[in-house]
């Protein structure tokens, strides 16, 4: 099975917002990524709008064949998603103080707000994925609430410095991926993945998609966007 790559273009918008200019354009970066082998584009519309803006979501939806919109269940963000109708929404936890998403969504403790949001997206014909820790109870809760996919947070693996710790994290992800695939749910993974650590994740056969952003954008500063995407795709070949 060919492993798909979703390229997150949030940090193209981060550079734009730092100066309040109209460049660099996330849509231009998304098109370059798609031409260079990306299978989808990922964009996180945060409640504080620190990088991606509402208009970016509509523009990206019109420009690319497969948009995966990351989001927390803030009312204003839900309305943007329902208006734009991306092919997929990935529901994530979110805090204003965090630099990046710090962990998986607690779907098991998500309550009625989360359940209602998932129903609204499904009724609109939008595939729902949950961004969760590699835990069986979170997979089961995602299934019970009607999600069609899960994305495992790989930050624990990416940030682990010891060999034993990395091995343990990989086994944890692999175990959760096997369980999710056996239950008939699509499996993706992402967070903190880069050219130095992606090869071990690629070996987990149940994972169908990797969503990678910051490291590709960082490499693009040196290599250019097309070369950075092609480099990652080459490392993802099974």
């Amino acid at each position: 099975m060919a492993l798909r790559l979703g390229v997150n273009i949030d940090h193209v918008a981060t550079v734009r917002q730092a100066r309040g200019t109209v460049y660099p354009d996330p849509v231009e970066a998304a098109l370059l990524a798609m031409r260079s082998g990306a299978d989808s584009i990922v964009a996180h519309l945060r409640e504080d709008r620190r990088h991606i803006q509402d208009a970016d979501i509509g523009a990206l939806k019109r420009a690319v064949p497969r948009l995966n919109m990351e989001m927390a269940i803030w009312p204003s963000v839900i309305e943007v998603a329902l208006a734009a109708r991306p092919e997929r929404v990935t529901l994530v936890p979110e805090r204003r103080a965090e630099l990046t998403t710090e962990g998986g969504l607690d779907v098991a403790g998500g309550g009625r707000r989360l359940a209602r949001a998932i129903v609204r997206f499904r009724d609109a014909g939008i595939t729902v994925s949950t961004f969760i820790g590699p835990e069986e109870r979170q997979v089961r809760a995602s299934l019970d609430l009607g999600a069609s996919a899960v994305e495992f947070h790989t930050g624990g693996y990416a940030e682990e410095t010891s060999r034993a710790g990395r091995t343990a994290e990989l086994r944890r992800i692999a175990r959760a991926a096997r369980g999710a695939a056996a239950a008939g749910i699509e499996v993706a993974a992402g967070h903190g993945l880069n050219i130095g650590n992606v090869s071990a994740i690629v070996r987990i056969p149940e994972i169908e998609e990797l969503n990678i952003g910051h490291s590709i954008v960082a490499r693009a500063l040196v290599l250019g966007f097309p070369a950075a995407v092609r480099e990652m795709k080459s490392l993802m070949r099974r």
Side-chain angles (χ1 to χ4, degrees), residues 123-143:
D123 287 348
I126 302 170
T127 297
V128 179
S129 177
T130 55
F131 187 66
I132 58 175
E135 302 167 19
E136 181 182 352
R137 72 186 190 98
Q138 299 296 351
V139 172
R140 178 54 55 189
S142 297
L143 276 166

Side-chain angles (χ1 to χ4, degrees), residues 27-204:
V27 173
E28 184 178 12
L31 291 172
L32 284 171
M34 295 298 298
R35 292 170 193 151
S36 305
D39 300 286
S40 63
I41 296 299
V42 185
H44 184 172
L45 183 64
R46 296 184 70 103
E47 185 263 345
D48 63 9
R49 308 308 201 264
R50 68 176 64 169
H51 39 56
I52 295 294
Q53 304 298 301
D54 296 29
D56 293 326
I57 295 298
L60 287 164
K61 178 62 175 73
R62 292 188 294 271
V64 301
R66 185 167 181 258
L67 176 63
N68 178 0
M69 179 178 165
E70 291 185 345
M71 56 176 289
I73 54 170
W74 299 104
S76 68
V77 179
I78 289 173
E79 295 310 315
V80 171
L82 290 173
R85 296 198 177 190
E87 284 66 35
R88 174 172 298 195
V89 293
T90 297
L91 305 181
V92 304
E94 188 176 299
R95 293 189 310 111
R96 278 203 173 206
E98 68 188 2
L99 291 176
T100 185
T101 307
E102 294 175 344
L105 182 68
D106 182 14
V107 181
R112 293 182 180 178
R113 282 184 65 231
L114 180 59
R116 285 197 299 267
I118 291 175
V119 168
R120 292 185 71 187
F121 292 131
R122 293 192 64 184
D123 287 348
I126 302 170
T127 297
V128 179
S129 177
T130 55
F131 187 66
I132 58 175
E135 302 167 19
E136 181 182 352
R137 72 186 190 98
Q138 299 296 351
V139 172
R140 178 54 55 189
S142 297
L143 276 166
D144 290 345
L145 288 184
S148 302
V150 294
E151 180 175 345
F152 291 126
H153 186 289
T154 53
Y157 159 71
E159 294 161 14
E160 180 57 60
T161 57
S162 72
R163 178 177 294 183
R166 284 195 300 272
T167 299
E169 285 294 327
L170 281 169
R171 287 174 178 164
R172 185 169 168 245
I173 295 165
R175 184 166 56 247
R178 285 194 299 271
I185 196 166
E186 185 180 331
V187 182
H191 195 84
L193 299 178
N194 57 52
I195 61 171
N197 62 24
V198 74
S199 59
I201 292 290
V202 167
R203 297 189 188 106
I204 300 173

Side-chain angles (χ1 to χ4, degrees), residues 23 75 93 138 188 209:
Y23 62 85
Q138 299 296 351
E209 182 174 273

